[in-house]
């Protein structure tokens, strides 16, 4: 009799456990938010490892963490991870990717939120602020899951409110597709403490090219649904948005080597010129133009003969990029013309665009020694770190590069002021 009871008791425990696991499913992970180009919105992307696309995609949010009285419904789709030949097809994975917009946000307000399916599983409660005045942007490229030297400092500064958004200018995870996408999962979860606090804006680099940029496009589908749609690009590979006094324009330098679409080059260039022309008509309200890409004109496999004239003609103030795993800052220049400012830390009414390389956040490929044209170079640092960009008013922009090594008494190792009193288009020489 005891044996029968033990059998049925064990059966009941197993049945309840099985039922519980089926009830609580779809744990949200890899959560990250982005700007949409509309100041009263944010768009959150997250993943569930379950293949159940019938899971609801919901964001609950509000000003009180104990009373999330606003709700937004989103959408999800199944992403079959590209098949790696080294992985047995029996173990092939799929991810369910969710996107949901938080709307009707008030300016300069702290919000709390959680995402998931209220009937199954919700995330922890996170928070973010809708600051609009004198925002500080953390800018870097080339940060992977392994040897992400800058990540601890990024987490600390995000918590302390020392920056309000991130622009990661290409080369993420190193590489998303490895271990059948598990490296991508690990990377996305590793940046979650930053990317749930502040918008985490991205653009593609050469390390995203595998499987026609599939991991980038899908894992960051919130870029396409947000800034892609609102800037008219229709993609997360290139886009633009206005935030305060800055017009940010991000473009894809990898199209020349890796694109399988012959028309993509022309579409991007046409969009870029139209976008910059429109931005110039609005410079009285949004005077600064900041361009972002993975590479610059002196780097490999990038046909900047098309990009450079547009950036120069339409008066782009500063170009921020990565690819080289170090820090480099240049005098303002265009082609062979160099504006050698007398003060290397203050550029007064520069004639040309300033280029900064900040591919120094940390990856398994470590620091590299490669530099661009020495005759145009102001300074370089072969160490790990990231930049801070801030605009104070119509005429003053601040850039700082901060070393990620925690033992340093003064982490800021380079700083630049750009004072520009004559924003506008330039003559192409």
């Amino acid at each position: 009799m005891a044996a029968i009871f033990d059998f049925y008791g064990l059966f009941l425990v197993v049945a309840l456990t099985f039922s519980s696991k089926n009830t609580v499913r779809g744990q949200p992970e890899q959560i990250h938010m982005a700007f949409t180009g509309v100041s009263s919105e944010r768009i959150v992307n997250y993943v569930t490892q379950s293949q159940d696309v019938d899971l609801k995609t919901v964001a609950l949010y509000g000003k009180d963490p104990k009373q999330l009285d606003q709700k937004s419904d989103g959408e999800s789709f199944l992403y079959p991870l590209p098949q790696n030949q080294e992985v047995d097809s029996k173990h092939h994975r799929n991810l369910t990717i969710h996107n949901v917009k938080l709307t009707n946000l008030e300016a300069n307000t702290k919000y709390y939120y959680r995402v998931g399916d209220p009937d199954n599983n919700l995330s922890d409660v996170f928070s973010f602020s809708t600051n609009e005045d004198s925002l500080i942007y953390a800018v870097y490229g080339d940060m992977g899951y392994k040897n992400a030297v800058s990540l601890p400092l990024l987490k600390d500064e995000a918590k302390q409110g020392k920056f309000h958004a991130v622009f990661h200018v290409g080369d993420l995870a190193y590489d998303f597709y490895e271990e059948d996408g598990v490296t991508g999962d690990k990377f996305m979860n590793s940046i979650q403490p930053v990317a749930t606090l502040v918008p985490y804006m991205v653009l593609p680099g050469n390390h995203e090219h595998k499987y026609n940029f599939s991991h980038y496009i899908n894992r960051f589908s919130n870029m396409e649904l947000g800034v892609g749609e609102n800037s008219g690009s229709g993609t997360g590979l290139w886009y633009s948005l206005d935030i305060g006094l800055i017009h940010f324009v991000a473009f894809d330098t990898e199209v020349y080597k890796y694109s399988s679409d012959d028309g993509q080059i022309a579409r991007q260039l046409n969009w870029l010129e139209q976008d910059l022309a429109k931005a110039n008509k609005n410079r009285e309200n949004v005077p600064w133009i900041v361009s972002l890409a993975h590479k610059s004109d002196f780097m490999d496999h990038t046909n900047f003969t098309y990009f450079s004239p547009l950036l120069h003609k339409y008066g782009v103030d500063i170009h921020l990029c990565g690819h080289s795993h170090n820090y480099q800052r240049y005098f303002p220049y265009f082609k062979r013309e160099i504006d050698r400012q007398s003060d290397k830390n203050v550029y007064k009414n520069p004639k040309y665009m300033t280029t900064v390389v900040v591919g120094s956040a940390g990856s398994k490929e470590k620091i590299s020694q490669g530099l661009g044209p020495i005759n145009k170079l102001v300074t370089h640092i072969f160490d790990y770190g990231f930049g801070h960009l801030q605009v104070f008013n119509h005429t003053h922009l601040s850039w700082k590069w901060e070393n990620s090594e925690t033992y340093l008494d003064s982490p800021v190792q380079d700083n630049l002021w750009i004072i520009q009193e004559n924003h506008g288009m330039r003559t192409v020489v």
Side-chain angles (χ1 to χ4, degrees):
M1 188 72 178
I4 295 175
F5 177 80
D6 288 345
F7 172 78
Y8 281 106
L10 178 62
F11 176 83
L12 180 61
V13 170
V14 171
L16 288 173
T17 302
F18 181 79
S19 174
S20 174
K21 286 184 177 179
N22 276 271
T23 301
V24 182
R25 60 192 173 93
Q27 176 64 44
E29 60 176 88
Q30 306 177 42
I31 306 166
H32 56 102
M33 70 161 47
F35 291 119
T36 69
V38 177
S39 61
S40 61
E41 294 180 349
R42 300 290 186 271
I43 184 166
V44 179
N45 175 292
Y46 65 94
V47 164
T48 51
Q49 296 286 345
S50 167
Q51 297 185 30
D52 298 318
V53 292
D54 63 326
L55 285 171
K56 296 176 183 176
T57 302
V58 173
L60 304 174
Y61 58 106
K63 301 173 187 177
D64 184 341
K66 297 181 180 179
Q67 187 177 354
L68 304 178
D69 53 5
Q70 293 175 260
K71 178 185 176 184
S72 286
D73 294 310
E75 296 181 349
S76 67
F77 62 91
L78 192 66
Y79 173 44
L81 291 172
Q83 186 68 53
N84 188 335
Q85 293 180 355
E86 298 175 359
V87 178
D88 189 336
S89 60
K90 293 181 180 179
H91 300 99
H92 185 61
R93 296 195 307 127
N94 298 288
L95 299 177
T96 301
I97 295 182
H98 306 256
N99 288 287
V100 57
K101 284 184 180 179
L102 282 59
T103 60
N104 299 315
L105 302 174
E106 298 176 13
N108 301 310
T109 302
K110 186 171 184 177
Y111 282 91
Y112 300 86
Y113 71 103
R114 62 195 313 193
V115 294
D117 184 341
D119 296 331
N120 289 282
N121 220 345
L122 287 167
S123 71
D124 292 337
V125 176
F126 303 104
S127 67
F128 69 96
S129 296
T130 56
N131 300 322
E132 290 192 350
D133 301 323
S134 298
L135 299 189
I136 301 171
Y137 304 90
V139 184
Y140 51 87
D142 306 80
M143 188 173 77
Y145 173 65
K146 296 180 180 179
N147 196 42
V149 176
S150 295
L151 187 55
L153 186 57
L154 286 164
K155 290 178 181 178
D156 289 344
E157 290 196 0
K159 288 179 182 178
Q160 297 170 32
K162 291 188 176 181
F163 59 81
H164 307 100
V166 165
F167 280 97
H168 189 151
V169 292
D171 280 9
L172 302 87
Y174 284 76
D175 286 331
F176 279 120
Y177 72 90
E178 292 185 354
E179 300 179 272
D180 196 30
V182 172
T183 297
D185 294 348
K186 291 177 179 177
F187 173 78
M188 296 302 296
N189 280 318
S190 75
I191 65 170
Q192 181 174 291
V194 177
T196 50
L197 274 172
V198 301
Y200 202 97
M201 309 299 289
V202 294
L203 52 139
N206 52 291
H207 276 268
E208 282 69 71
H209 84 276
K210 195 76 170 181
Y211 305 112
N212 199 25
F213 297 88
S214 173
H215 277 274
Y216 173 89
I217 291 169
N218 287 281
R219 291 178 185 270
F220 289 98
S221 48
N222 58 337
M223 302 297 294
E224 177 179 334
L225 297 172
V227 288
E229 288 186 358
N230 286 317
S231 67
S233 74
T235 177
L237 297 171
W238 62 86
Y239 57 86
S240 69
L241 71 160
D242 290 346
I243 308 176
L245 298 176
I246 304 177
H247 179 74
F248 289 99
V249 57
F251 56 94
D252 177 14
T253 53
E254 307 315 300
V255 63
Y256 289 96
K257 184 177 181 182
Y258 298 111
S259 176
S260 59
D261 180 353
D262 293 337
Q264 186 168 325
I265 293 173
R267 287 199 303 274
Q268 179 176 207
L269 288 172
N270 290 337
W271 171 86
L272 181 60
E273 180 153 27
Q274 291 175 12
D275 182 83
L276 290 172
K278 181 179 178 181
N280 264 275
K281 294 178 181 178
N282 192 37
R283 291 195 94 150
E284 185 175 339
N285 299 309
V286 184
W288 296 93
I289 300 181
V290 175
S291 66
L292 305 141
H294 184 56
K295 296 175 183 173
S296 189
D297 60 314
F298 49 80
M299 295 177 180
D300 60 341
H301 304 299
T302 303
N303 196 335
F304 249 79
T305 56
Y306 293 102
F307 292 123
S308 289
L310 292 178
L311 303 182
H312 174 77
K313 175 182 177 181
Y314 290 101
V316 172
D317 295 288
I318 187 169
H319 178 68
L320 304 173
C321 65
H323 191 57
S324 293
H325 298 172
N326 53 47
Y327 175 71
Q328 306 169 46
R329 176 164 63 83
Y330 290 82
F331 282 118
Y333 70 86
F334 177 59
K335 296 182 179 179
R336 296 182 179 180
E337 301 295 322
I338 306 172
D339 185 357
R340 297 189 182 278
Q341 296 274 324
S342 58
D343 188 334
K344 294 182 179 181
N345 296 102
V346 180
Y347 295 170
K348 181 74 178 291
N349 292 322
K351 299 177 183 177
Y352 312 116
M353 182 180 74
T354 299
T355 296
V356 177
V357 179
V358 61
S360 50
S363 74
K364 65 182 181 181
E365 294 185 357
K366 301 183 179 179
I367 293 295
S368 65
Q369 306 295 309
L371 295 173
I374 300 299
N375 64 321
K376 302 172 183 176
L377 185 66
V378 175
T379 187
H380 67 276
I381 301 172
F382 293 145
D383 210 343
Y384 297 103
F386 55 94
H388 291 80
L389 175 75
Q390 185 177 17
V391 161
F392 286 86
N393 51 42
H394 277 60
T395 57
H396 286 68
L397 177 150
S398 169
W399 168 263
K400 298 177 181 178
W401 185 83
E402 186 171 286
N403 195 305
S404 298
E405 299 290 358
T406 56
Y407 63 83
L408 295 170
D409 292 332
S410 179
V412 177
Q413 295 192 321
D414 185 44
N415 64 84
L416 170 69
W417 283 97
I418 297 179
I419 302 173
Q420 183 56 266
E421 300 164 317
N422 306 304
H423 293 286
M425 296 182 67
R426 304 187 185 105
T427 301
V428 177
V429 293

